[in-house]
Amino acid sequence: MPEKIFIFDTTLRDGEQSPGCSMNLEEKLKMARQLERLNVDVIEAGFPISSDGDFEAVQAVARQVRRPTIAALARATRLDIERAWESIKEAHKPRIHTFIATSDIHLQHKLRKSRSEVFAQAVEAVRIARDLCEEVEFSAEDATRSDVNYLAEIFEAAIEAGASIINIPDTVGYSVPKEYGPFVNAVLSKISNRNKAVFSCHCHNDLGLAVANSLAGIENGCRQVECTINGIGERAGNASMEEIVMALRTRKDQFPYFTEVLTEEIYRSSRLLTNLTGMFVQPNKAVVGKNAFAHEAGIHQDGVLKNSLTYEIMTPQSVGVVSSTLVLGKHSGRHALHKKYQELGYELTKEELERAYFFFTKLTDQKKEIYDEDLITIVQDGMKIIPDIYRLKYVHSSGGNQELSSAVVKLEKGSQTFIESSHGHGPVDACYKAIDKITGFPGRLLDFSVNSVTKGKDALGEVFVHVKFSGRSYTGKAASLNIIDASTRAYVNAVNKAIYEQLRQQEKAAKASAAGE
Ligand code: KIV
Ligand code: ZN
């Protein structure tokens, strides 16, 4: 009988803590709902002690996402653990995930503690967590560079203290599969009460081996695997969920295991994450890259047409990749559009459909062929994650390679209209400076990227920006056939997020002062 592998998704914690991947509360909720649709077993929603924002996001996920287990991370201290519990106590299935480093390198240089002190702290942490929450996971940070006997002793004691999930992270991504697999095996064999816990692997990708190591971990006794969508995460990232799940599914002959992930939701999850963070996946990324199912060479195309088995080891449909088919035209109505979105897996509200239809008709005026990818971009672009505080009404920008560029921007805020002009180093910079003049809330552009949604000269362009406002960075995104329009709206989107966050903080402070805190 194949055994189940539990999928522990840490996109919202280990993934989100990597540079350029931060998400606000609404974005985390949106992603968590998609992870629920993907049917992962556990969502690690954040590290609540790290900030009030993270605490609130974990709490919102715990309250609203009911099917999977919701885990919150805590260092092995009472304060961290209590804060973690506070954030997830309303979850349908809560889990406290507590960790401490166990390698001598970390003990000597980071914690400055002896092995016995860390041992005692780990056991105490599991007890505190277990008093609060029925399900406790214990992780030994930098496990793979720890002494195997010491690690086994700590794990045995953690299980004794009430941990039912034990995680063996390759924190620095140093292991290779032929070493990680036997290491897991050796640790497990030394733990006398191992049948009382599920063992877990958590591999980082510094040598590009996170997925291979995770599979080796599974083969050697791990039944939970910690991973992220698109493999985002600290430094080179975490093990990529879609690669692990598809490796298990595609090579059942090698891996007698199964997951309960709905693989048809993989592509939508990947796209959503890119949309929320602006972190693109490389075109040749396995499973979800733009080219993952594209057959360019003539011989390959010919083979696939004759029989897809010739060059395709899994179908695009199995991961929810939509085919680049011509879908709708100028005369398609709302009904056809609605139907098409349903086929693509999007259940739109009336308002969302209206908005999508508005952009669809605008697009058909300018673009002859509308593809599935265009429709996905339209709907994701129009997602109402935060309110549009400022709206772009008009933009005109000009410039060349010789002199300063200039721009005129008109924004609307409620019933007010603002117009400003500015010069800048390039047409986009000029637009951004004009917006800064209007809002009086200048941003510093940290990153800017453009991506074409489909092929051809009339392809939709998606622009992502990372902008710093008052010391915090925000992402902004927009798509358009016109690059200046997309660039300007992406910046306005980031401005809106920053202002929205400020308003929320002010509201919170006002409530706290009214409550006499
Ligand atoms: O990489 C790591 O060791 C971690 C732990 C907190 C589980 O992310
Ligand atoms: Zn990690």
Side-chain angles (χ1 to χ4, degrees):
M1 258 305 261
E3 280 185 68
K4 172 166 169 167
I5 301 300
F6 290 84
I7 299 295
F8 176 113
D9 181 278
T10 184
T11 305
L12 298 178
R13 200 278 297 171
D14 221 345
E16 202 257 358
Q17 80 193 36
S18 62
C21 286
S22 62
M23 288 176 248
N24 65 23
L25 186 145
E26 288 77 10
E27 290 165 334
K28 277 191 154 193
L29 249 178
K30 187 108 200 159
M31 194 65 221
R33 290 206 175 97
Q34 178 57 31
L35 291 171
E36 184 179 36
R37 264 194 295 277
L38 185 61
N39 212 29
V40 302
D41 298 286
V42 185
I43 295 177
E44 185 165 52
F47 188 14
I49 195 89
S50 67
S51 70
D52 285 352
D54 217 40
F55 176 91
E56 284 161 20
V58 178
Q59 192 172 54
V61 172
R63 284 177 176 158
Q64 297 184 41
V65 180
R66 308 301 285 171
R67 199 208 49 77
T69 295
I70 306 298
L73 187 70
R75 283 167 301 193
T77 68
R78 180 177 285 282
L79 202 67
D80 271 41
I81 294 168
E82 286 177 348
R83 190 78 176 140
W85 174 241
E86 200 49 37
S87 70
I88 52 163
K89 65 181 183 197
E90 291 171 53
H92 184 48
K93 290 183 262 175
R95 177 187 296 182
I96 295 177
H97 177 193
T98 185
F99 75 99
I100 192 163
T102 50
S103 67
D104 287 336
I105 303 174
H106 279 236
L107 263 58
Q108 280 164 26
H109 303 290
K110 188 180 84 175
L111 301 176
R112 296 180 204 278
K113 287 189 172 165
S114 66
R115 284 190 183 183
S116 56
E117 283 171 308
V118 165
F119 184 98
Q121 192 176 337
V123 174
E124 180 61 5
V126 172
R127 283 209 187 101
I128 295 170
R130 192 62 184 75
D131 278 348
L132 297 167
C133 183
E134 232 169 73
E135 196 165 86
V136 174
E137 170 168 341
F138 173 71
S139 282
E141 192 188 10
D142 206 18
T144 49
R145 293 192 299 171
S146 306
D147 176 77
V148 68
N149 292 315
Y150 174 60
L151 194 62
E153 280 166 27
I154 283 211
F155 284 158
E156 189 164 307
I159 297 170
E160 196 53 40
S164 53
I165 301 100
I166 295 292
N167 187 27
I168 312 172
D170 183 29
T171 303
V172 290
Y174 181 68
S175 281
V176 298
K178 68 174 182 185
E179 179 188 29
Y180 185 71
F183 184 77
V184 167
N185 196 293
V187 179
L188 264 64
S189 69
K190 291 174 193 287
I191 303 172
S192 65
N193 52 3
R194 61 180 173 273
N195 59 346
K196 292 193 186 148
V198 169
F199 289 84
S200 169
C201 43
H202 176 116
C203 300
H204 280 267
N205 205 30
D206 299 67
L207 293 174
L209 294 169
V211 170
N213 283 333
S214 302
L215 294 172
I218 291 171
E219 286 186 296
N220 283 278
C222 292
R223 292 293 172 266
Q224 173 179 281
V225 56
E226 306 196 357
C227 45
T228 60
I229 301 290
N230 296 344
I232 66 165
E234 282 283 355
R235 308 179 307 277
N238 286 61
S240 141
M241 123 109 67
E242 57 278 7
E243 293 177 23
I244 292 173
V245 168
M246 290 315 286
L248 293 177
R249 180 178 154 158
T250 309
R251 297 308 309 270
K252 284 202 185 82
D253 57 324
Q254 294 293 320
F255 303 108
Y257 313 103
F258 70 95
T259 74
E260 290 190 351
V261 164
L262 295 179
T263 60
E264 292 75 11
E265 290 290 331
I266 283 179
Y267 184 65
R268 213 185 333 271
S269 310
S270 163
R271 280 284 310 212
L272 178 64
L273 185 65
T274 297
N275 262 285
L276 296 176
T277 60
M279 190 90 152
F280 289 105
V281 296
Q282 78 214 47
N284 61 330
K285 161 90 173 63
V287 185
V288 291
K290 220 176 182 173
N291 296 348
F293 295 96
H295 302 279
E296 206 64 36
I299 299 177
H300 290 206
Q301 288 176 348
D302 181 53
V304 169
L305 285 175
K306 286 179 175 144
N307 186 333
S308 63
L309 280 177
T310 50
Y311 289 102
E312 242 170 39
I313 58 162
M314 53 193 160
T315 64
Q317 292 78 11
S318 67
V319 296
V321 168
V322 292
S323 52
S324 247
T325 46
L326 186 60
V327 287
L328 299 170
K330 208 172 171 54
H331 304 293
S332 308
R334 279 179 186 72
H335 185 68
L337 189 66
H338 192 204
K339 221 167 146 253
K340 188 68 209 175
Y341 273 123
Q342 279 176 331
E343 269 169 45
L344 292 172
Y346 291 88
E347 268 314 327
L348 302 190
T349 62
K350 225 173 151 211
E351 198 197 0
E352 284 167 338
L353 179 65
E354 264 323 297
R355 198 181 157 96
Y357 187 68
F358 173 74
F359 285 109
F360 168 72
T361 49
K362 266 177 72 173
L363 202 60
T364 54
D365 279 345
Q366 300 166 62
K367 190 174 185 306
K368 272 204 305 244
E369 299 171 330
I370 310 280
Y371 295 93
D372 287 347
E373 287 94 329
D374 294 317
L375 295 183
I376 294 174
T377 304
I378 289 176
V379 80
Q380 295 201 334
D381 197 33
M383 274 182 324
K384 277 265 173 218
I385 292 180
I386 54 137
D388 281 341
I389 296 164
Y390 283 100
R391 272 175 205 274
L392 178 70
K393 295 312 286 179
Y394 169 89
V395 58
H396 179 84
S397 181
S398 61
N401 63 356
Q402 294 296 322
E403 61 214 39
L404 276 180
S405 300
S406 59
V408 179
V409 175
K410 185 168 160 188
L411 297 184
E412 201 176 73
K413 183 185 180 194
S415 56
Q416 294 168 282
T417 304
F418 305 88
I419 301 182
E420 275 294 350
S421 61
S422 187
H423 291 290
H425 300 287
V428 173
D429 185 46
C431 293
Y432 292 2
K433 288 205 165 94
I435 295 171
D436 285 350
K437 277 190 186 172
I438 293 174
T439 61
F441 190 43
R444 188 159 68 83
L445 188 65
L446 304 176
D447 204 3
F448 176 94
S449 52
V450 194
N451 183 36
S452 85
V453 175
T454 51
K455 295 197 169 100
K457 269 205 271 183
D458 63 352
L460 264 181
E462 283 179 304
V463 172
F464 286 94
V465 290
H466 282 108
V467 192
K468 203 166 218 171
F469 294 98
S470 315
R472 255 196 81 170
S473 106
Y474 297 85
T475 55
K477 186 213 151 222
S480 173
L481 288 172
N482 177 310
I483 216 67
I484 294 294
D485 179 49
S487 308
T488 311
R489 286 198 296 110
Y491 192 81
V492 173
N493 184 226
V495 169
N496 284 337
K497 282 188 193 171
I499 296 177
Y500 180 68
E501 186 58 31
Q502 272 204 340
L503 292 174
R504 193 161 55 194
Q505 292 309 328
Q506 283 163 7
E507 211 174 284
K508 227 174 87 184
K511 269 193 197 148
S513 96
E517 281 171 25

